[in-house]
Amino acid sequence: MTLISPKGLIDFSLLEKITKKPKLFAKDDGNFWQDPYVSEHLLNAHLDDESDQGSRKYQDILQSVLWLSEYLKLPEDSKLLDLGCGPGLYSENFYGQGFAVTGIDFSQSSIDYAKEQAEEFNYRIKYICKDYMEMDYKEEFDVITLIYGDLCVLSHDDRSLLLQKVKKALKPRGYLIFDVFTKHYFENEEPDQSWYISKEDGFWSEEEHLLLQSHYKYKKDKVRLDKYTLILKNGEIRTHNIWKHYFSLERAISMIKESGFSVKDYWSNLQGEPFEENSPWIGFVAQKT
């Protein structure tokens, strides 16, 4: 879609359309995880230990892996599938705790980096560049992890489908480890719109562009949207929607049980801190029933 008409004029009706609140889980202009330029920036965000925009900081990742490994007390070489593994930050540490690890991620840049690290340090980790919504395993893994809110960015239908795929992929009584946002994660975020001009090498494009940032609430559905709209010099428009579904403890437990799992335990995070009502996260260990 382009903002410039055949006469070389701005089409203001389109401008109004792109600033309007979209329908819940509306599609955007493609999968930015596979865009070579954006995926490289995402990789850098994962590896930036001064920020938690891409991944949690390394010390937090290590603490979670140590806690969860001790909590589960599984035999060495138990099979673990790390969904949304990124550059392998959790995968490497679970491997270090004796798990046989497979990691899946849709970003080629992140998977390439993870493979390079595995080769350099002789980590016997299997990395696959793939949309984990397309996985089709059957009773193969003892543990599946989906960490840092990945479950929250899916539509309701996709989330239900993924949980069924996870259940199928787990061995009997296997474990699903994941975390979700609560409403307190968004306490300092209100719906708004802003814009800026990125001269070059911005996060979303190396070309100069105008970026419109919009943040919306879907209160009834317990969903937030971060919408990023790029307008390039030639009038081309690209939109990226990042959905964030948040849960109360009760709703999360209900979702787990409806998907064929039992709740083994939950905390304010995946480091074993007791759950508090005002926690921005809930970390779960669920077990296949």
Side-chain angles (χ1 to χ4, degrees):
M1 182 168 63
T2 178
L3 189 64
I4 307 298
S5 73
K7 295 181 179 180
L9 302 175
I10 294 176
D11 186 338
F12 284 102
S13 65
L14 285 178
L15 189 58
E16 181 180 7
K17 179 181 177 181
I18 64 176
T19 56
K20 185 179 180 181
K21 182 179 180 179
K23 292 183 179 180
L24 184 66
F25 301 128
K27 298 296 184 182
D28 58 12
D29 293 323
N31 175 20
F32 60 82
W33 302 101
Q34 285 287 304
D35 181 279
Y37 178 83
V38 177
S39 64
E40 192 66 32
H41 280 253
L42 287 168
L43 172 60
N44 292 335
H46 281 301
L47 301 177
D48 182 3
D49 206 38
E50 298 299 316
S51 167
D52 57 3
Q53 291 298 307
S55 296
R56 289 192 173 97
K57 296 179 181 178
Y58 182 78
Q59 199 58 39
D60 290 327
I61 293 172
L62 178 60
Q63 189 62 39
S64 289
V65 170
L66 293 175
W67 161 260
L68 291 165
S69 300
E70 176 63 24
Y71 176 86
L72 293 173
K73 291 185 170 63
L74 292 175
E76 183 140 345
D77 287 331
S78 293
K79 297 184 70 176
L80 183 147
L81 176 62
D82 185 9
L83 298 179
C85 67
L89 303 179
Y90 282 94
S91 296
E92 291 177 1
N93 283 286
F94 277 118
Y95 174 79
Q97 294 302 305
F99 288 91
V101 178
T102 299
I104 295 179
D105 199 274
F106 211 7
S107 169
Q108 189 67 59
S109 295
S110 289
I111 288 295
D112 287 346
Y113 177 89
K115 287 181 175 180
E116 289 169 4
Q117 292 293 105
E119 183 176 356
E120 180 177 353
F121 295 102
N122 198 29
Y123 299 148
R124 295 187 302 277
I125 302 173
K126 182 179 180 181
Y127 287 114
I128 303 169
C129 185
K130 185 176 184 178
D131 182 354
Y132 54 56
M133 293 298 301
E134 298 176 359
M135 71 175 184
D136 188 25
Y137 298 104
K138 184 176 181 180
E139 295 189 356
E140 188 163 336
F141 298 96
D142 301 283
V143 183
I144 294 179
T145 61
L146 191 68
I147 298 177
Y148 210 29
D150 260 36
L151 200 63
C152 299
V153 303
L154 302 175
S155 70
H156 301 321
D157 289 343
D158 282 350
R159 185 171 61 251
S160 296
L161 175 60
L162 179 61
L163 287 172
Q164 290 309 305
K165 286 177 173 285
V166 166
K167 183 181 178 183
K168 180 182 175 183
L170 283 170
K171 296 177 182 179
R173 309 298 293 169
Y175 296 103
L176 168 61
I177 298 172
F178 70 100
D179 51 12
V180 295
F181 307 121
T182 73
K183 65 180 181 180
H184 301 289
Y185 183 88
F186 304 98
E187 278 183 344
N188 298 321
E189 295 183 19
E190 291 300 322
D192 66 1
Q193 292 187 330
S194 60
W195 63 273
Y196 67 86
I197 294 175
S198 178
K199 292 292 185 183
E200 57 183 15
D201 296 333
F203 181 88
W204 296 103
S205 176
E206 59 188 332
E207 300 178 43
E208 184 177 14
H209 60 276
L210 173 67
L211 182 70
L212 306 178
Q213 301 178 119
S214 304
H215 306 280
Y216 300 105
K217 279 184 179 181
Y218 299 77
K219 192 171 182 180
K220 179 182 177 182
D221 297 282
K222 307 294 188 293
V223 172
R224 305 286 294 249
L225 169 63
D226 296 333
K227 178 182 176 183
Y228 301 92
T229 303
L230 291 74
I231 302 177
L232 304 178
K233 276 186 170 183
N234 63 1
E236 181 185 350
I237 300 172
R238 302 177 195 164
T239 299
H240 301 296
N241 294 335
I242 300 177
W243 301 95
K244 297 177 180 178
H245 187 193
Y246 57 93
F247 291 83
S248 65
L249 177 61
E250 293 73 22
R251 288 183 68 247
I253 289 175
S254 177
M255 171 190 69
I256 293 167
K257 291 181 177 179
E258 288 172 1
S259 301
F261 294 86
S262 62
V263 178
K264 184 171 175 60
D265 223 331
Y266 60 87
W267 309 275
S268 282
N269 54 34
L270 290 174
Q271 299 177 20
E273 293 183 16
F275 177 71
E276 297 181 359
E277 288 296 330
N278 62 349
S279 172
W281 292 90
I282 314 174
F284 285 96
V285 173
Q287 191 167 27
K288 179 177 175 178
T289 55

